[in-house]
Amino acid sequence: MSKKILLLQLLMLFIGLGVKAQISTNSMTSSQLSQIKVSNLSDDQIRQLVAEMKKNNVSYDQIGTYARQKGIADSEVEALKSRIKQLNLDTELSSNSSNKNGLDSTGRQYEDEAADTTYYWNQKYKKILDRQDLEKELKRRKIFGSELFSNKNLTFEPNLRMATPPNYKLAADDEVIIDVYGYSEVQHKLKVSPDGYIRIPYLGPVYVNGLTMAEATQRITKQLSTIYGGIKTGNTSVQVTLGNIRSIRILLIGEVTQPGTYTLPSLATVANALYVSGGPNENGSFRNIDVIRNGSVVSTFDLYDFLVHGDLSNNVVLQDQDIVKVNAYKLRVEMTGEVKRPAIFEAKESETLQNIIDFAGGYTDNAFRDIIRDYRINKRAREVVNIPADSVAFFRLKTGDKFYVDSVVSRYTNRVTIAGAVFHAGDFALEPDMTVADLIKKADGVQEEAVMSRGVIRRLQDDYTPSIVNFNVQDVLDGKENVPLKREDSVIIFSKLKVREEFLVKIDGEVNQPGYYVYGDSMHLEDLILLAGGLKNAASLTHVEISRRIHNKGVYDSADYRMAITRQFDLNADLSANREANTFALQPFDEVMIRREPSYTEQANVIVNGEIAYPGIYTINNKKERISDVIRRAGGLRPDASPEGALLLRKTFSNTADSTFLSSKLQVFYNKLRDSSNVERVKDEMTKKMQLLGIELKKALANPGSKYDLYLEEGDIIRVPKKLQTVQLFGEVYFPKKVRFDRNFTFRDYVNGSGGFTASALRRRSYIVYANGKVKSTHKVLFFNRYPKVEPGAEIYVPPKKQHPGISTGEAVSVASALASIALVIVTIINTTK
């Protein structure tokens, strides 16, 4: 009953949306719902549709499933979801999920009133039904053939463009096209009336109801020959074809997913009707579907003919008022395990287990075919039946049987394995009287780095516990030792390279590719330098240092405090070494250090930017070059420059990697700084790796070489701004803002101009940050605050006082109670002592 009410609500909704639908037995056909065009719906109609979905507890994520169940096309589903999102209605559906707090749509508890309690039980009952429906749907999906009716890419729509079948019989609403050609030419498109007639102009009505196209052509030609004489003489011909076909009404009953009356084209078949109705349900038969016409069964449709053999010969064309009845299944079994299509299969009484295996596509390659297990339900209990391979073709089925085809065990009857230092490692077949020597020979022998003194065999004993058998590889190959093999033996030939720590040497310093390199016998210093890409231009050819691990091979001397052996050599420009170095061969784990030439110096650059005559990148000429020197080289300050606001950014790192990074990025930063819109962003980016130094450029230029005239360092950035004319206020003033600089104004004047200090202002901690980065704070003189002097471009900061939260009412009561208790104890003690 609840399903009928839901379908009626949907019917009323889509009628309001302007969808022309025909319905019978309280259900809407899939063909009608598929005609919906979301683009033709108004916003109000979309809102009505969303309201209907909310009533049915459909969330936004469930729209696709909900619409497919109703037969709406997938393309329209996506369009519908898009329209819902455009109107911001998706949040209403998203919140329309199951309510975990026991609240209805108005936020009331279910148990508050009788109506709410009723609503609660209705919802609880609905959840039970939903869970049962889910279990049914999961079972239905396991049934062989059910995917046919849930695959959106598959359709059984009738082909309306094919030639009219010879046995097609005309009826009311069919369109007949009459084409007269030859000496006389005319064409008529006539519709069969409800009485079965077509009315031909200048001729009158001709009865065609129930006639095939051949019979109708013969009758129409005979009637037309009375007004077109050329038809009898052969000078005029008549062609009768079928135009638009009529619709028929089909009733689907029984164990079908969506029973009801459906309007279909007159060329529709049983398969068409099953598809639009969703197919058989979880109890419906796929092999016993009756077509009832005028109270008699005219055909029985077996869907397995199509599923298994691709045969649709029994797919009869339906007629108006036909009834398609899906009967309940009688015999159904399940096949699992190593078959190609595990599923639930329906069988006829005459069929055997072999037929079910054929339906399942046969065995997989891993199937164990000797025994098939059948879990069968008897009258009082269950039992397991073992079915030998020779009984499969004769084994009779019983409904509820569950057949399981096991897989072959993952074991080999004749496998041996060899791994390690052989040329062709892997699995080999165990041959009679096969030995380790035979297996090594099949593996194409041992490799040159193989350990010849010992090999091992991993062997499984009779109880399958592991054991190790060792042998001498050289003796086995020489025939001195004969080691027979057993099934599942695994022979391992070890490699000298893998049973020791990897031999490496390290080179660092002024080489092009520093790092670790694989050690080779007779490796010398020059070899390692060449492997590392050669020396850098800054490399020093003297004092090349080699450090070596100390390893006395078991001899311990407590008086030996050495941690490493270090040797130094000198090289020539062509990497040739002296005689001592030539005789010194490297050993594993040696470390070579190539140091930088003490007199080698790379160019160090600084950036001068802002109100400078020639801004850009400048190279430091000597170690004593100062700020005034580079400003002079850059042409000096422009007339509108503000030396008071000049600042210096200096790197805060000292390692080579960061220095190299800065040098490579200087030109990039300079190009960005040239664009005034990028200045603040680039300053923030640079200050992540640089520190702001407060300089007094005016004093440095006036007194070159003084303490104000700092030495330059690589990566320094000097920026000279334009003349500054503003002062910025921050913090605890009533109206923080940027104001015009006035030399006659004091600190208090600027604060008063911004509304004055707020009640939470900490005046004695106020401070000023000047344009060049210097900071000055307020200090006390007797009982008065002495504020710093304000200069152009300054930023005034007034910090807030620390907040001291007061005691709450509850805390006050607690403290009072505690004091009262203490007082009571004291009074008690005094009274006791008296």
Side-chain angles (χ1 to χ4, degrees):
M1 181 61 71
S2 60
K3 290 184 178 179
K4 291 185 176 181
I5 295 175
L6 174 60
L7 292 172
L8 280 174
Q9 291 174 340
L10 285 174
L11 171 63
M12 296 304 296
L13 172 65
F14 287 117
I15 289 177
L17 297 178
V19 179
K20 295 181 180 180
Q22 296 178 350
I23 191 142
S24 177
T25 65
N26 297 331
S27 64
M28 182 177 291
T29 67
S30 300
S31 60
Q32 293 165 343
L33 289 174
S34 62
Q35 298 174 0
I36 295 176
K37 298 295 181 183
V38 176
S39 58
N40 296 332
L41 303 181
S42 65
D43 291 347
D44 289 337
Q45 290 170 334
I46 295 293
R47 292 187 180 94
Q48 293 174 9
L49 182 57
V50 171
E52 191 67 27
M53 290 180 182
K54 288 179 65 178
K55 291 181 181 178
N56 291 288
N57 292 324
V58 177
S59 68
Y60 182 78
D61 295 334
Q62 297 172 334
I63 290 177
T65 305
Y66 180 79
R68 291 187 191 100
Q69 291 175 353
K70 304 305 175 187
I72 300 177
D74 287 341
S75 58
E76 296 302 317
V77 171
E78 295 302 320
L80 177 61
K81 293 173 74 173
S82 177
R83 288 286 302 277
I84 291 174
K85 270 196 172 184
Q86 290 176 2
L87 297 174
N88 295 323
L89 299 175
D90 52 324
T91 54
E92 297 185 19
L93 293 177
S94 298
S95 61
N96 196 29
S97 57
S98 58
N99 201 321
K100 298 181 180 179
N101 298 322
L103 301 176
D104 63 8
S105 59
T106 62
R108 298 176 297 176
Q109 290 288 343
Y110 293 136
E111 292 81 359
D112 285 351
E113 299 178 22
D116 291 334
T117 304
T118 303
Y119 179 80
Y120 166 76
W121 287 111
N122 287 340
Q123 292 298 308
K124 184 174 181 180
Y125 180 66
K126 181 179 181 301
K127 291 178 181 179
I128 294 174
L129 292 178
D130 290 344
R131 185 167 61 251
Q132 293 175 349
D133 290 343
L134 177 61
E135 293 174 354
K136 291 179 180 179
E137 179 61 22
L138 293 177
K139 179 181 178 182
R140 183 174 180 266
R141 290 183 182 182
K142 293 173 64 177
I143 299 173
F144 177 62
S146 62
E147 70 277 2
L148 194 68
F149 302 100
S150 58
N151 188 350
K152 63 182 180 180
N153 296 321
L154 181 65
T155 179
F156 280 96
E157 293 181 1
N159 184 5
L160 302 181
R161 295 184 178 181
M162 69 178 184
T164 306
N167 59 348
Y168 182 83
K169 295 183 178 181
L170 294 173
D173 292 334
D174 277 339
E175 183 183 54
V176 177
I177 301 175
I178 302 173
D179 193 3
V180 180
Y181 59 94
Y183 281 181
S184 300
E185 291 192 1
V186 67
Q187 188 182 68
H188 302 293
K189 290 185 178 181
L190 308 173
K191 198 170 187 180
V192 180
S193 68
D195 297 331
Y197 290 91
I198 58 172
R199 184 174 293 276
I200 303 176
Y202 311 111
L203 180 63
V206 178
Y207 188 79
V208 295
N209 185 59
L211 300 180
T212 64
M213 289 302 299
E215 294 170 343
T217 301
Q218 183 178 2
R219 179 173 293 185
I220 293 171
T221 302
K222 182 178 180 181
Q223 295 292 329
L224 287 174
S225 63
T226 60
I227 60 174
Y228 297 104
I231 295 177
K232 294 180 179 179
T233 63
N235 295 324
T236 302
S237 300
V238 178
Q239 184 180 21
V240 180
T241 57
L242 185 65
N244 293 328
I245 62 175
R246 66 186 183 275
S247 296
I248 59 175
R249 306 271 288 178
I250 303 299
L251 178 63
L252 281 98
I253 61 174
E255 300 297 332
V256 65
T257 301
Q258 296 176 358
T261 299
Y262 290 82
T263 301
L264 301 174
S266 57
L267 293 177
T269 62
V270 180
N272 304 142
L274 290 174
Y275 186 77
V276 298
S277 65
N281 60 21
E282 72 280 0
N283 294 320
S285 172
F286 281 68
R287 312 194 64 182
N288 187 15
I289 302 170
D290 292 333
V291 178
I292 302 173
R293 185 174 298 159
N294 299 324
S296 301
V297 176
V298 296
S299 176
T300 299
F301 182 61
D302 187 347
L303 195 56
Y304 273 30
D305 289 341
F306 169 71
L307 295 173
V308 179
H309 307 294
D311 181 11
L312 281 175
S313 58
N314 64 345
N315 186 26
V316 298
V317 178
L318 299 174
Q319 295 185 12
D320 193 34
Q321 304 303 320
D322 276 356
I323 299 175
V324 178
K325 181 184 178 184
V326 179
N327 297 299
Y329 75 89
K330 293 182 179 180
L331 199 161
R332 187 181 282 175
V333 297
E334 184 174 359
M335 176 67 72
T336 59
E338 294 299 325
V339 290
K340 296 175 182 176
R341 286 195 297 263
I344 297 174
F345 297 92
E346 185 178 350
K348 295 182 178 179
E349 293 182 357
S350 60
E351 292 175 338
T352 65
L353 178 56
Q354 184 61 55
N355 298 111
I356 303 302
I357 294 175
D358 294 339
F359 293 159
Y363 299 103
T364 65
D365 297 336
N366 296 326
F368 176 67
R369 308 185 185 191
D370 291 351
I371 294 292
I372 297 178
R373 292 197 292 271
D374 176 19
Y375 298 89
R376 173 165 287 183
I377 302 174
N378 288 325
K379 293 181 179 179
R380 295 186 177 180
R382 300 174 183 266
E383 67 172 340
V384 179
V385 179
N386 294 328
I387 308 169
D390 55 0
S391 301
V392 169
F394 311 102
F395 187 80
R396 308 300 298 180
L397 305 174
K398 184 178 180 180
T399 188
D401 281 351
K402 291 186 177 181
F403 299 101
Y404 176 73
V405 179
D406 206 347
S407 60
V408 295
V409 295
S410 182
R411 297 170 67 176
Y412 292 84
T413 59
N414 65 336
R415 179 179 65 174
V416 288
T417 303
I418 187 168
V422 292
F423 285 103
H424 295 285
D427 298 334
F428 291 88
L430 177 64
E431 299 173 353
D433 302 323
M434 190 174 185
T435 65
V436 172
D438 298 331
L439 181 58
I440 293 176
K441 184 178 180 180
K442 290 183 179 295
D444 206 12
V446 297
Q447 296 177 358
E448 293 79 357
E449 70 272 14
V451 176
M452 304 301 293
S453 59
R454 194 177 189 89
V456 299
I457 303 174
R458 289 177 178 169
R459 175 168 292 172
L460 296 178
Q461 302 183 85
D462 294 340
D463 60 354
Y464 262 69
T465 57
S467 64
I468 297 293
V469 178
N470 60 74
F471 61 92
N472 186 291
V473 179
Q474 189 64 56
D475 291 346
V476 164
L477 295 178
D478 293 341
K480 298 178 181 179
E481 186 178 356
N482 186 23
V483 182
L485 292 174
K486 293 184 178 181
R487 183 177 67 87
E488 292 298 313
D489 276 357
S490 178
V491 178
I492 302 175
I493 307 298
F494 297 101
S495 170
K496 295 177 182 178
L497 302 179
K498 295 185 178 180
V499 295
R500 70 181 186 187
E501 184 180 358
E502 185 178 7
F503 284 178
L504 300 175
V505 288
K506 180 183 178 182
I507 186 169
D508 208 346
E510 298 300 319
V511 291
N512 291 313
Q513 298 175 5
Y516 288 92
Y517 291 85
V518 177
Y519 170 78
D521 289 339
S522 302
M523 178 182 279
H524 287 75
L525 174 62
E526 299 87 343
D527 304 326
L528 181 57
I529 292 175
L530 292 174
L531 288 173
L535 300 174
K536 289 185 177 180
N537 189 40
S540 173
L541 298 176
T542 60
H543 292 84
V544 176
E545 191 172 85
I546 302 175
S547 60
R548 176 169 295 171
R549 295 181 180 181
I550 296 175
H551 189 193
N552 293 328
K553 296 184 178 180
V555 179
Y556 173 68
D557 184 2
S558 61
D560 189 356
Y561 293 101
R562 297 177 303 165
M563 297 183 64
I565 299 172
T566 304
R567 299 288 297 273
Q568 287 186 345
F569 301 99
D570 294 339
L571 299 175
N572 298 321
D574 59 353
L575 291 185
S576 61
N578 54 41
R579 179 177 299 177
E580 183 182 8
N582 283 332
T583 60
F584 188 86
L586 296 177
Q587 291 185 7
F589 312 113
D590 280 356
E591 296 185 0
V592 178
M593 175 60 70
I594 309 295
R595 305 193 185 280
R596 179 183 287 259
E597 181 69 37
S599 61
Y600 183 86
T601 304
E602 296 179 355
Q603 297 91 334
N605 296 323
V606 297
I607 290 179
V608 181
N609 189 260
E611 299 303 314
I612 303 293
Y614 299 100
I617 297 177
Y618 289 84
T619 301
I620 301 175
N621 290 332
N622 56 69
K623 296 180 180 179
K624 294 188 176 182
E625 191 161 13
R626 298 174 181 265
I627 295 176
S628 60
D629 298 327
V630 73
I631 295 295
R632 183 174 61 256
R633 287 169 59 191
L637 305 180
R638 291 181 180 177
D640 54 350
S642 174
E644 296 86 356
L647 54 86
L648 172 66
L649 291 173
R650 176 161 291 176
K651 62 182 180 181
T652 59
F653 43 82
S654 58
N655 62 73
T656 305
D658 283 343
S659 178
T660 304
F661 165 80
L662 181 63
S663 299
S664 64
K665 296 298 181 182
L666 277 177
Q667 186 65 49
V668 177
F669 286 132
Y670 171 68
N671 292 336
K672 292 180 179 180
L673 281 168
R674 292 176 63 183
D675 183 359
S676 59
S677 63
N678 288 329
V679 170
E680 295 303 323
R681 181 173 60 84
V682 175
K683 281 172 61 180
D684 293 339
E685 187 176 353
M686 288 298 293
T687 52
K688 294 178 181 178
K689 286 186 172 289
M690 309 193 76
Q691 185 176 8
L692 179 65
L693 297 180
I695 61 174
E696 297 188 21
L697 183 59
K698 192 172 183 180
K699 293 181 180 180
L701 296 178
N703 301 287
S706 64
K707 63 179 182 180
Y708 304 105
D709 196 10
L710 302 178
Y711 289 114
L712 295 175
E713 294 183 5
E714 180 185 1
D716 282 353
I717 298 178
I718 301 172
R719 175 161 179 79
V720 182
K722 288 185 178 181
K723 289 183 179 179
L724 304 174
Q725 299 177 330
T726 60
V727 174
Q728 177 72 52
L729 288 94
F730 297 97
E732 296 301 320
V733 294
Y734 281 104
F735 189 54
K737 61 179 180 177
K738 182 177 288 187
V739 298
R740 180 180 58 83
F741 173 75
D742 192 326
R743 293 191 177 276
N744 298 321
F745 278 18
T746 64
F747 186 99
R748 289 297 300 269
D749 293 332
Y750 286 106
V751 172
N752 292 335
S754 296
F757 293 107
T758 65
S760 59
L762 186 59
R763 304 184 186 189
R764 59 187 177 85
R765 297 296 184 190
S766 302
Y767 60 93
I768 292 181
V769 178
Y770 295 98
N772 63 354
K774 292 177 61 176
V775 180
K776 285 188 178 181
S777 302
T778 302
H779 58 278
K780 282 282 188 180
V781 178
L782 296 178
F783 300 103
F784 303 98
N785 292 326
R786 185 180 181 87
Y787 298 104
K789 182 182 178 181
V790 181
E791 294 182 358
E795 295 177 349
I796 298 174
Y797 291 86
V798 182
K801 297 177 181 178
K802 291 184 178 180
Q803 298 294 329
H804 299 286
I807 187 171
S808 64
T809 304
E811 291 172 340
V813 172
S814 299
V815 172
S817 300
L819 292 175
S821 299
I822 294 172
L824 180 60
V825 171
I826 294 173
V827 170
T828 303
I829 293 173
I830 293 174
N831 292 334
T832 303
T833 55
K834 291 181 179 181

